[in-house]
Amino acid sequence: MKFGVGLYCLQSTASTPRHPTVPYRAVVKDAQYIESLGYDGLWLSEHHFFYDGYCPALLPVASAALAATTTLRVGTGMMLLPLQDAGRVARLSADIAERSGGRLDVGVGLGYRDVEFDGKGVPRSERVARNKLGLAELERVAVPAGATLWSGSATPKGIARAGARGHGVLLSGANPLSLVRELAAAHREGWEAAGRPGGVRPRVAALRNVWLTDDKAEQAAALDWQRASYVLYAGLGWSVAQQESTEAMDFRADVDKAVAQAVATTISGPAPAVIEGLHEVAEAGVDDVVFRVIIEGAPQQVVNRMLGRLADEVLPEFENVEAA
């Protein structure tokens, strides 16, 4: 099992204001720190036209983080491909992948916010077609250069399509474990039904809300930080209702319920409790875990200390663990 850290959104929110340049400088230092602890990857996130400066251009940030490190992988989780010029994205991804020795993970998603499509002048009705064309261009140009492709789909059918194309998937941290298990199975089934393209099963990665602490007060605070981060997503109008699934998560229909459901996924407590929780994630079919700890209100020094403890006390327990 491999481990990463995310999601870096590079925001300056109402509750945690900072100069817009600060998070862009900090992410490079964080990349070096995360690499020094032995983590495998760092993941970024994209949105447009939000008040807090949510990062709108992931590839320049990924390039800066890769240039400052030597082994760390950097991923876009997710780049909103229908809003981009596919040819430009493919060429830039290929160049960055080549220069970084193949350490770029290109994760793409459809997007869901009307304001983003309107602001970019892209009809939302075209997003699926534009995504397909963009993926084909990335497969043609970026993959030969060493980039790895990932999908951010949230439905079993979409996940199965990613598997059929030989793409990895990055699953939302808000997904309950039962849904993670369902989506991981759909991904594997899609890959197998398509004749196992590439010969090696593409990986399933999952964001998981994790907080290692022996302090009850810090544990409670971490849940509050998780809650605040999901309230922020509710403000974005996030909706990932699973209509073809046994689970549902809609931050528009019932915000309080969706936020509570997302926070309830948190694996927290002392090292043995975190290790046990992560073993359950592996048993659900997950190959890679991205610790979702870059969250609203969490002080940087507390995050760094906790990441150090995870690296020392938890990661060694998973050196030989594979997904079920």
Side-chain angles (χ1 to χ4, degrees), residues 23-66:
Y24 286 85
R25 292 173 180 163
V27 71
V28 174
K29 293 181 180 178
D30 284 358
Q32 293 171 325
Y33 177 66
I34 290 168
E35 181 180 61
S36 74
L37 293 176
Y39 288 94
D40 297 288
L42 176 153
W43 287 84
L44 306 160
S45 181
E46 172 188 320
H47 273 298
H48 302 261
F49 310 119
F50 201 51
Y51 86 93
D52 63 6
Y54 203 120
C55 185
L58 300 187
L59 289 177
V61 181
S63 180
L66 287 164

Side-chain angles (χ1 to χ4, degrees), residues 12-311:
S12 175
T13 63
S15 62
T16 312
R18 51 188 177 171
H19 192 278
T21 62
V22 170
Y24 286 85
R25 292 173 180 163
V27 71
V28 174
K29 293 181 180 178
D30 284 358
Q32 293 171 325
Y33 177 66
I34 290 168
E35 181 180 61
S36 74
L37 293 176
Y39 288 94
D40 297 288
L42 176 153
W43 287 84
L44 306 160
S45 181
E46 172 188 320
H47 273 298
H48 302 261
F49 310 119
F50 201 51
Y51 86 93
D52 63 6
Y54 203 120
C55 185
L58 300 187
L59 289 177
V61 181
S63 180
L66 287 164
T69 55
T70 58
T71 61
L72 191 73
R73 301 190 66 81
V74 178
T76 62
M78 294 290 162
M79 184 161 46
L80 306 181
L81 192 55
L83 300 177
Q84 315 283 348
D85 179 311
R88 178 175 178 275
V89 168
R91 291 190 300 273
L92 282 174
S93 297
D95 185 54
I96 295 169
E98 209 167 286
R99 291 171 185 270
S100 67
R103 290 187 288 130
L104 178 66
D105 290 306
V106 183
V108 299
L110 286 171
Y112 58 88
R113 298 179 70 227
D114 289 338
V115 67
E116 294 180 328
F117 286 88
D118 293 344
K120 292 286 187 176
V122 176
R124 185 166 172 167
S125 60
E126 296 179 4
R127 66 179 189 153
V128 173
R130 290 175 65 93
N131 193 61
K132 287 180 179 177
L133 290 172
L135 282 170
E137 190 67 6
L138 283 166
E139 288 171 338
R140 186 181 72 84
V141 177
V143 172
T148 302
L149 295 188
W150 300 74
S151 171
S153 178
T155 66
K157 286 184 179 177
I159 293 291
R161 283 194 294 269
R165 296 186 79 135
H167 300 168
V169 288
L170 176 63
L171 306 178
S172 167
N175 289 338
L177 201 56
S178 56
L179 181 54
V180 170
R181 186 177 295 108
E182 180 182 351
L183 295 175
H187 184 254
R188 187 184 298 247
E189 290 164 7
W191 178 69
E192 291 174 349
R196 305 189 177 205
V200 177
R201 181 178 62 81
R203 299 178 75 83
V204 173
L207 285 154
R208 299 318 288 164
N209 300 309
V210 172
W211 204 273
L212 171 60
T213 180
D214 303 310
D215 187 313
K216 292 290 186 182
E218 184 178 323
Q219 186 176 10
L223 293 177
D224 284 339
W225 299 329
Q226 294 286 2
R227 188 173 297 107
S229 71
Y230 281 113
V231 168
L232 193 66
Y233 272 105
L236 282 162
W238 188 30
S239 173
V240 283
Q242 306 288 339
Q243 313 231 340
E244 51 188 280
S245 169
T246 56
E247 302 283 350
M249 236 177 359
D250 193 336
F251 282 71
R252 293 180 300 186
D254 190 334
V255 172
D256 291 341
K257 179 181 178 182
V259 169
Q261 181 184 21
V263 174
T265 67
T266 305
I267 302 168
S268 65
V274 172
I275 290 168
E276 181 181 356
L278 291 174
H279 273 297
E280 292 179 355
V281 174
E283 290 165 4
V286 172
D287 302 293
D288 304 338
V289 170
V290 179
F291 293 136
R292 186 181 175 275
V293 295
I294 310 304
I295 50 178
E296 182 70 0
Q300 187 64 56
Q301 66 270 25
V302 177
V303 173
N304 286 350
R305 183 184 70 229
M306 196 265 303
L307 285 173
R309 285 196 63 189
L310 282 167

